[in-house]
């Protein structure tokens, strides 16, 4: 992404398969060049025969925001469920 594109925001979508009856808090951690900058809460609700989807959207980024970004979706026990990478270029 360019800095101009970043100003429009970034959305990370995740599909999770959860058993019926599961209800668990999750979090999205946003990293820049390996350093965690943001932690955004999410929640999972399992249902019979269906998956579950969520997303996180970030619109305000630090200056400068150039570098390698990573978004992790984690359980309360820090189990990694999903990961997304992107890079912001000049």
């Amino acid at each position: 992404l360019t800095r101009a594109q970043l100003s429009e925001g970034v959305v990370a979508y995740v599909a999770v398969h959860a058993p019926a009856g599961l209800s668990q808090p999750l979090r999205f951690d946003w990293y820049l060049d390996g350093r965690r900058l943001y932690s955004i809460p999410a929640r999972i609700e399992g249902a019979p025969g269906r998956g579950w989807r969520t997303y996180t959207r970030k619109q305000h980024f630090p200056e400068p925001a150039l570098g390698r970004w990573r978004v992790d979706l984690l359980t309360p026990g820090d189990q990694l469920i999903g990961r997304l990478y992107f890079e912001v270029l000049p």
Side-chain angles (χ1 to χ4, degrees), residues 10-90:
V10 174
V11 179
Y13 293 95
V14 178
V16 178
H17 297 283
L22 178 69
S23 178
Q24 185 174 25
L26 301 173
R27 75 176 189 274
F28 285 98
D29 286 351
W30 291 72
Y31 294 83
L32 173 58
D33 293 328
R35 193 181 81 202
R36 186 174 76 174
L37 299 181
Y38 308 102
S39 188
I40 300 172
R43 184 152 199 87
I44 188 172
E45 300 286 340
R50 296 189 332 209
W52 180 83
R53 291 173 286 189
T54 190
Y55 69 94
T56 181
R57 181 174 185 189
K58 185 91 183 86
Q59 291 184 280
H60 303 285
F61 288 86
E63 288 290 338
L66 302 178
R68 295 173 189 237
W69 285 84
R70 182 180 92 219
V71 182
D72 289 349
L73 178 61
L74 301 158
T75 67
D78 292 332
Q79 180 182 8
L80 181 65
I81 295 176
R83 178 171 279 168
L84 169 76
Y85 295 96
F86 66 96
E87 188 170 359
V88 178
L89 304 171

